[in-house]
Amino acid sequence: MSGGGGAAPRTARSRSGRAGAWAELLRLPALFTVPGDALAGAAAAGVRPGPRTLLAIGSSLCLYEAGMALNDWADRAEDAVERPHRPLPSGRVRPAAALTAAGALTGAGLALAAGAGRPALAVAAPLAATVWAYDLALKHTPAGPAAMAAARGLDLLLGAAATGGGTRAALPSAALLGSHTLAVTAVSRRETTGGSALAPLAALATTGVLTRLVTHRRTRLPAGRRAAAAPGLPGSSPAARPPGAAGALATALGAAYAATAARPYFHATLNPSPPLTQRAVGGGIRATIPLQAALAARSGATATSLLVAALAPAGRMFARRAGMRKVSIT
């Protein structure tokens, strides 16, 4: 009887261990940085989020997780040397299972995008291709950061295409979000070796420029109205600020973005050691949410902006409960 009584606890621990391994593989806390892409895209398109926006968010989540699983499958040999604690090299998740999950999640992401309409699928298809190209071919090349930036920009455009049927008005917001992602990814390339102050310094400068742009410009005409864009950049009004509460909110969120990203970048610039470089990457990832919220606010979508901003504390709470406070994009 004693042998049978110990089997159930061991089985429960085994299942919990497998679930934890998959949560680590898929970097679940980082998922909270994903919905803001589609929501910021919808705001930039000048349309309130709706059922098709939810489909775009679902597609984004699936494609993001596909990228996480594929990333570790592609890097399993490298991780065995540099990160042996990760799920694949430690043997907690089989490489074949990770690759199968990547394929299944990609298919699910494309199916959800198709449900949101042809314009959404037209963006999701190159997004999926970019994810696979980055993980399998481009990650360790000079084109790697640009590919990651393109993926984030396309993810924002997916929300605009699904919600509003077009992407022109969302292009400036996609460019800003992509620039932030480019900076974070460039820093992440040295997170295990350190030794380079140039990438965090460039990321620090990029943060300053993006903070200025996101708090002093707007990407489209007032929310809820589909109007022709002003001359120049699609949907832009270079000299204008978002009106009223939205303008104040964009300024506050821009400051939150700068505060979240700038300090760890500055520390990594002064001392580009692996621990401080990893902290800089984590700060850049966390700063994605206030940036998304600020982009929505400068588009005049106050409610959407507040919804996106609420994802930040939710993500921190989830990470603490899951015991996964350190999240990497590599």
Side-chain angles (χ1 to χ4, degrees):
M1 295 203 36
S2 60
R10 282 197 298 271
T11 301
R13 284 195 297 269
S14 177
R15 289 176 179 172
S16 176
R18 286 196 297 269
W22 278 98
E24 185 180 342
L25 175 75
L26 298 175
R27 297 161 177 79
L28 292 188
L31 276 182
F32 289 85
T33 70
V34 177
D37 291 346
L39 291 171
V47 184
R48 291 183 178 179
R52 291 190 176 186
T53 314
L54 294 177
L55 289 172
I57 291 173
S59 175
S60 297
L61 291 170
C62 288
L63 294 176
Y64 186 89
E65 292 292 47
M68 293 297 99
L70 187 63
N71 173 82
D72 279 22
W73 180 85
D75 286 353
R76 61 195 184 281
E78 176 186 327
D79 286 346
V81 177
E82 297 183 353
R83 309 173 184 91
H85 61 280
R86 284 194 169 178
L88 267 62
S90 66
R92 290 176 292 148
V93 175
R94 292 182 298 109
L99 182 59
T100 300
L105 286 165
T106 300
L110 292 174
L112 288 169
R118 287 186 180 179
L121 182 58
V123 177
L127 172 56
T130 302
V131 169
W132 281 72
Y134 172 82
D135 284 330
L136 298 181
L138 301 177
K139 180 178 178 180
H140 299 293
T141 72
M148 183 71 84
R152 270 289 181 180
L154 286 168
D155 203 32
L156 187 146
L157 295 179
L158 175 58
T163 310
T167 60
R168 279 180 58 94
L171 288 174
S173 288
L176 295 182
L177 184 60
S179 297
H180 166 73
T181 305
L182 178 69
V184 178
T185 308
V187 175
S188 76
R189 290 162 76 89
R190 290 295 191 99
E191 67 177 342
T192 59
T193 61
S196 174
L198 183 59
L201 179 61
L204 183 62
T206 300
T207 300
V209 172
L210 292 179
T211 301
R212 170 75 178 178
L213 291 174
V214 82
T215 56
H216 286 77
R217 298 191 180 192
R218 52 187 294 196
T219 60
R220 63 173 177 80
L221 295 173
R225 217 175 62 187
R226 295 186 185 180
L233 207 58
S236 67
S237 180
R241 273 180 173 270
L249 186 58
T251 299
L253 290 167
Y257 161 68
T260 304
R263 184 176 179 180
Y265 285 156
F266 179 69
H267 289 165
T269 300
L270 295 179
N271 178 13
S273 63
L276 290 181
T277 302
Q278 291 166 17
R279 290 183 186 178
V281 174
I285 294 172
R286 290 190 299 273
T288 302
I289 294 178
L291 176 59
Q292 294 163 336
L295 290 171
R298 79 168 191 160
S299 297
T302 303
T304 299
S305 176
L306 292 173
L307 176 61
V308 174
L311 293 171
R316 288 194 297 269
M317 183 180 301
F318 178 86
R320 283 196 299 269
R321 290 185 176 181
M324 298 173 58
R325 302 186 72 173
K326 290 180 66 176
V327 178
S328 172
I329 58 176
T330 61

